[in-house]
Amino acid sequence: SRSGQDWILDRFIGTLGVNALMPGFMSFMASPIVGFNNADLDYIAARTKGVASMRECYRKVGDFRAALAQTAETQGYKATARRQYHLASLAYGFAQYTVQEDHSALKKELHGKCQACFAKVIEYADNPIEKVEIPFVDEPAYDAATFPGILHLPPGKGPFPCVIFIPGTDMHKEQVPNPE
């Protein structure tokens, strides 16, 4: 468990800012690979003083983008709703990443919001996107015998080549590739 380690991150972030642990992180987030909105990143960077404030900023951005998505959705603007749901999913995904306790109610809530928003991205996608479960060798040390993933398919009839991208510990599967 990583519980109780926020004070270390708070010192790094408080001294060096949001790029403290991953130099160039905010630039990567704004790249077309991920697709975060620059104004959202500026908001987060300006208000982040430590882990708790970073989490709250990402959550607020997620709530803001989810509300915009719901408005666009009710007005029939599918592409706008998809884009806003994607931005909300990204924000909630990074908010839950900052929660050190794996089984906390807050982490589960933020993860649930990330998943719900990404389900809307899948629903409104121009090209097929599917949640998949990839089987792996069943080892007694693992709780499950599958690895969750997201399959992005191109338009048209296959077969197609496949690239498998496995996110690192500081990423989530809804982050890359950018469905936009």
Side-chain angles (χ1 to χ4, degrees):
S1 173
R2 300 175 296 172
S3 184
Q5 300 301 309
D6 282 358
W7 69 271
I8 296 168
L9 298 175
D10 285 343
R11 294 220 177 158
F12 280 111
I13 293 167
T15 304
L16 303 171
V18 293
N19 286 310
L21 301 175
M22 293 174 275
F25 176 71
M26 294 305 245
S27 296
F28 172 70
M29 296 290 285
S31 74
I33 295 168
V34 178
F36 239 105
N37 179 281
N38 281 318
D40 293 345
L41 294 174
D42 289 346
Y43 173 87
I44 293 162
R47 288 162 180 78
T48 294
K49 306 297 180 222
V51 175
S53 62
M54 181 185 288
R55 178 182 315 119
E56 184 61 15
C57 288
Y58 276 117
R59 188 199 58 76
K60 283 182 178 180
V61 167
D63 290 347
F64 173 73
R65 294 295 174 180
L68 289 177
Q70 290 165 354
T71 299
E73 187 175 33
T74 60
Q75 295 176 357
Y77 298 109
K78 178 179 138 178
T80 300
R82 180 186 64 232
R83 174 71 177 142
Q84 297 303 320
Y85 277 124
H86 180 241
L87 292 171
S89 178
L90 287 172
Y92 289 134
F94 280 98
Q96 68 90 27
Y97 167 72
T98 67
V99 180
Q100 303 295 319
E101 296 76 21
D102 287 338
H103 301 289
S104 77
L106 177 59
K107 189 169 190 91
K108 288 178 183 179
E109 174 194 344
L110 293 168
H111 179 73
K113 287 182 175 188
C114 173
Q115 296 297 298
C117 288
F118 203 82
K120 290 292 193 171
V121 172
I122 291 171
E123 179 181 341
Y124 293 132
D126 289 334
N127 297 319
I129 301 174
E130 302 173 18
K131 289 182 89 170
V132 296
E133 295 288 330
I134 303 166
F136 66 90
V137 176
D138 190 7
E139 295 287 333
Y142 296 106
D143 291 336
T146 62
F147 187 80
I150 298 174
L151 178 63
H152 295 255
L153 296 168
K157 192 171 181 174
F160 301 108
C162 181
V163 173
I164 298 175
F165 177 81
I166 300 173
T169 59
D170 55 352
M171 299 176 80
H172 51 95
K173 66 187 179 304
E174 295 78 18
Q175 178 184 346
V176 175
N178 178 352
E180 294 295 309

